[in-house]
Amino acid sequence: MIELTAQDWQAIQLTLKLCLYTTLILLLLGTPLAWWLAQGQSRVRTAIQAVVALPLVLPPTVLGFYLLLLLGPHGAVGGTLEQLGFHHLAFSFSGILIGSVIYSLPFTVQPLLESFRRMGPRPLEVAQTLGAGKLDQLFSVVLPLCRGGFIVAATLTFAHTLGEFGVILMLGGSIPGETQVLSVLIYDHTEAMNYSQAHQLSLGLLIAAFVVLFIVYGLNKRFDRGQLT
Amino acid sequence: MLRAASRSSTTSRPKQPTAASELSIVCTLKRGDFCLQLNDTLPLNGITALFGRSGCGKTSLLRAIAGLDRHPAAQIHFGETPWQHGKHFVPVHQRRIGMVFQESSLLPHLSVKQNLLYGYHRLSKTSPRHLQPAQVIEWLELAALLPQKPEQLSGGQRQRVALGRALLSQPQLLLLDEPLASLDQQSRNEIQPFLQRIARQSGIPMLLVSHQLDEVVKLADQLVLMQDGRIHSQGPLPQQLLQPELAASGAMSLLYATSSGCQGHLLQLTIGEQQLQLPAPLHSTIEETDAATPATYRLRIQARDVALSLQPLTDSSVSNQLQVRITGFNLAPHPAETLVQLDLAGQPLQALLTKQSVERLGLQLGQLVYAQIKAVALD
């Protein structure tokens, strides 16, 4: 039967918080980045696109390792923060949030890039000749025409952050309420031979992931347009 | 042979919403093999056709004028207003231009009505609204389409909506980038009368990009001939049709004639002192007793449909016979033929004859002869 401990609940809460924050931050950062990438082909764009896609191929431990060096007390970022009187970012929620943002970046940028490319420049040219300024174009043309791309980007980012493990373990460890997300807790339960508790959480995560992906593919089909007619 | 069309009247032109009468452009652009080199002034009056082969720079010119492409060193002035000069650049959405693109460009997430009003709703509170939605919907016969989505429309209907949408943004200049090129012949014939009507009734100057001469001859008042990224020549359409470059795609002439009414289904037309009779268009609304307000018609005449004789023919079925003066001889695309240029009460007319006929009749410059016109297309 389902019997979640306070620790489990805390982990669920923390995981949802991490997923939500990551998704919001990535939509804000990923939209202009994907927009810029969609504006054409150049060597710089290709290089940036490769960097964005790096988390897809690198083992999470590599990413986690370098982030630990960077954000830790002696790293460029962490060290500077320490000098300024702040705390470094390793083993903190802020730290794993930064890690998640980098790790899930391709899952935001790719769907957006694709939907921007599919839309093409013409709808915006049309809007301009009809008197729409930049911001107006964003809200009256880009958002409605690329709605599918935004929904897919948001869901995929959320779902991918849900399944994050390696980066968090390397960078955040397993501090309850701070860095102990579901995937890490399942690992802890398993290490401690608490198989039934690990099972509960794993099954829950499995079902949640399936539902999310089911929705994404459903939406993908529904929004499979964006061409001007 | 009469291709019928609508009636053209110059009598009831509404006030021009624009003060600018010309557009000047200085632009040099190199892109690979293509080179655009312009230092010209285009007239802004009625429909001005930008004509030339594909790839000669017509669309590039139009996009530069619109501000969709920004070429660093270009200078563009709309009348006295600088649109681009040095660092000064008026962005597209502030130029108050309307643009109709070659392929359909309706916004797919909006209904026809929302598309039509997209620009209209974005006008500032103080800017004048010469054209009202009801008016444009009536002109373009869009009432039945309003609730539909763009994807439900045919190609011709979409271009009509795009045209209406551009008009309702109250442009001071309308740019048409081959708006009919992606349509079939039937849809083309369906839209052309709308374009003429709008140019006439709205008074908004139009630049029409086209590579189809018959379309240009039907619609335009002026013709700008483009070649290899430069403007080769420009001027009123009837005079421009004499350019040898245009003869290659089938030499023809355009005559303006005034009507003095209808007699037994025959339209009575006057050019200078001379009379023509043509079968009146059946499905157009020509009032039989309209002599009080003479209407102007455009007569399109293929050079091969004009024959010449030294004396007026009395035993011929051709009833439209006009006295003309020979003003020149031009090379025709075929080596055995000559294009004879004629003057008809100040208007140019061309006749395509074989060189043999020219010699046989002994045709000379300045000679008065009789032109038999076998076929006329009427607009």
Side-chain angles (χ1 to χ4, degrees):
Chain A
M1 275 302 13
I2 301 173
E3 257 179 75
L4 294 174
T5 63
Q7 193 189 20
D8 291 344
W9 279 117
Q10 199 179 31
I12 291 173
Q13 236 174 10
L14 184 70
T15 307
L16 291 179
K17 185 170 129 188
L18 180 69
C19 292
L20 199 67
Y21 283 21
T22 305
T23 308
L24 290 178
I25 292 172
L26 270 180
L27 282 181
L28 286 179
L29 294 180
T31 306
L33 181 58
W35 186 256
W36 179 73
L37 287 173
Q39 297 314 302
Q41 300 284 343
S42 69
R43 208 161 284 182
V44 187
R45 283 194 174 86
T46 313
I48 297 293
Q49 220 182 336
V51 170
V52 169
L54 269 182
L56 290 175
V57 284
L58 279 183
T61 42
V62 172
L63 197 62
F65 175 69
Y66 281 117
L67 280 174
L68 184 61
L69 291 188
L70 194 70
L71 303 180
H74 305 297
V77 175
T80 314
L81 284 175
E82 292 272 306
Q83 275 180 1
L84 293 172
F86 298 100
H87 211 273
H88 69 89
L89 294 174
F91 310 110
S92 70
F93 179 74
S94 312
I96 61 168
L97 183 58
I98 292 173
S100 296
V101 164
I102 294 170
Y103 189 51
S104 294
L105 187 60
F107 292 83
T108 313
V109 170
Q110 207 53 49
L112 287 180
L113 179 57
E114 204 177 300
S115 74
F116 292 158
R117 282 201 177 137
R118 196 161 37 166
M119 179 180 75
R122 190 43 59 79
L124 295 182
E125 292 183 353
V126 168
Q128 284 173 64
T129 62
L130 292 169
K134 289 258 181 239
L135 209 61
D136 191 357
Q137 292 167 39
L138 175 68
F139 285 104
S140 69
V141 178
V142 179
L143 288 183
L145 277 184
C146 299
R147 188 169 49 160
F150 278 99
I151 292 176
V152 170
T155 352
L156 275 182
T157 306
F158 193 92
H160 187 247
T161 312
L162 203 63
E164 199 179 333
F165 173 67
V167 177
I168 294 181
L169 200 65
M170 291 291 287
L171 183 61
S174 177
I175 305 164
E178 190 71 25
T179 63
Q180 194 184 53
V181 295
L182 274 175
S183 57
V184 174
L185 184 60
I186 291 168
Y187 177 73
D188 288 347
H189 282 320
T190 316
E191 289 283 274
M193 308 289 269
N194 288 332
Y195 276 33
S196 67
Q197 268 178 298
H199 197 170
Q200 270 183 21
L201 294 177
S202 298
L203 194 63
L205 215 50
L206 184 80
I207 292 170
F210 174 77
V211 170
V212 168
L213 288 178
F214 186 81
I215 293 171
V216 169
Y217 287 122
L219 288 172
N220 238 346
K221 224 177 268 172
R222 241 185 84 189
F223 290 113
D224 203 11
R225 49 181 194 151
Q227 295 296 93
L228 285 189
T229 50
Chain B
M1 191 182 96
L2 183 115
R3 270 172 283 157
S6 66
R7 175 170 177 238
S8 163
S9 163
T10 48
T11 49
S12 59
R13 215 176 249 277
K15 55 205 169 290
Q16 297 270 351
T18 170
S21 63
E22 54 184 36
L23 186 134
S24 71
I25 178 163
V26 182
C27 179
T28 312
L29 161 73
K30 268 206 171 97
R31 205 184 283 148
D33 284 346
F34 177 71
C35 178
L36 189 68
Q37 210 161 16
L38 301 165
N39 188 351
D40 296 273
T41 302
L42 303 177
L44 296 179
N45 179 19
I47 303 182
T48 302
L50 299 177
F51 180 81
R53 286 166 199 227
S54 306
C56 72
K58 303 177 300 258
T59 298
S60 304
L61 169 57
L62 209 63
R63 289 180 62 87
I65 293 172
L68 288 170
D69 293 335
R70 183 175 180 172
H71 307 304
Q75 289 179 30
I76 300 168
H77 288 80
F78 180 77
E80 299 292 304
T81 318
W83 273 354
Q84 188 177 353
H85 189 93
K87 287 213 168 84
H88 177 76
F89 183 81
V90 180
V92 184
H93 68 276
Q94 287 170 7
R95 291 194 183 189
R96 286 195 43 225
I97 44 144
M99 186 142 180
V100 178
F101 295 89
Q102 177 170 351
E103 78 297 332
S104 169
S105 58
L106 299 183
L107 296 167
H109 59 294
L110 302 177
S111 69
V112 167
K113 187 178 176 187
Q114 289 169 319
N115 264 290
L116 273 176
L117 296 177
Y118 188 95
Y120 189 76
H121 284 331
R122 280 164 175 79
L123 290 167
S124 73
K125 285 207 176 64
T126 51
S127 67
R129 289 168 168 78
H130 298 283
L131 297 172
Q132 296 303 318
Q135 176 79 79
V136 170
I137 288 167
E138 190 203 312
W139 279 349
L140 291 163
E141 295 168 17
L142 297 172
L145 308 177
L146 292 179
Q148 302 200 40
K149 280 278 192 168
E151 65 207 23
Q152 296 168 275
L153 306 183
S154 72
Q157 290 172 329
R158 287 174 192 175
Q159 289 304 67
R160 255 156 61 200
V161 177
L163 188 58
R165 180 176 66 177
L167 283 171
L168 280 177
S169 68
Q170 317 290 328
Q172 41 188 351
L173 172 63
L174 201 54
L175 305 171
L176 308 167
D177 188 5
E178 308 213 29
L180 310 178
S182 61
L183 304 177
D184 54 49
Q185 192 56 49
Q186 198 189 338
S187 312
R188 258 181 229 186
N189 295 342
E190 178 191 313
I191 292 194
Q192 277 166 352
F194 288 118
L195 275 175
Q196 289 167 321
R197 192 168 165 188
I198 281 162
R200 224 163 40 235
Q201 298 188 333
S202 70
I204 298 169
M206 300 186 187
L207 289 179
L208 170 74
V209 164
S210 178
H211 64 265
Q212 295 216 302
L213 190 58
D214 65 323
E215 181 177 300
V216 167
V217 177
K218 268 187 213 168
L219 296 174
D221 303 307
Q222 285 89 224
L223 188 146
V224 176
L225 179 62
M226 286 193 75
Q227 260 180 357
D228 305 322
R230 290 165 191 266
I231 288 178
H232 174 276
S233 62
Q234 57 166 304
L237 183 58
Q239 280 72 30
Q240 280 289 88
L241 285 174
L242 306 179
Q243 297 279 348
E245 285 78 7
L246 295 180
S249 25
M252 57 172 108
S253 319
L254 177 71
L255 296 176
Y256 294 101
T258 359
S259 85
S260 49
C262 246
Q263 274 173 19
H265 295 297
L266 277 180
L267 192 60
Q268 309 293 315
L269 295 167
T270 314
I271 299 175
E273 306 272 280
Q274 309 194 59
Q275 304 288 326
L276 267 96
Q277 290 186 331
L278 291 173
L282 282 177
H283 52 272
S284 85
T285 53
I286 295 172
E287 301 94 284
E288 299 251 339
T289 54
D290 202 18
T293 54
T296 302
Y297 283 87
R298 294 161 67 107
L299 313 182
R300 276 177 288 133
I301 302 165
Q302 303 280 348
R304 65 180 136 78
D305 291 331
V306 179
L308 297 180
S309 67
L310 299 176
Q311 300 298 326
L313 300 185
T314 48
D315 53 353
S316 160
S317 69
V318 179
S319 56
N320 287 318
Q321 192 158 214
L322 304 166
Q323 197 182 38
V324 294
R325 185 181 295 279
I326 296 175
T327 56
F329 299 92
N330 260 0
L331 292 176
H334 195 283
E337 291 174 327
T338 299
L339 270 172
V340 184
Q341 318 221 305
L342 309 161
D343 176 87
L344 169 56
Q347 300 194 50
L349 179 70
Q350 301 190 90
L352 184 64
L353 307 182
T354 60
K355 283 182 176 158
Q356 205 180 13
S357 303
V358 173
E359 270 174 40
R360 186 165 48 82
L361 294 177
L363 298 180
Q364 303 288 329
L365 269 181
Q367 192 177 355
L368 280 175
V369 292
Y370 293 86
Q372 284 87 37
I373 298 169
K374 287 177 280 186
V376 173
L378 188 65
D379 288 315

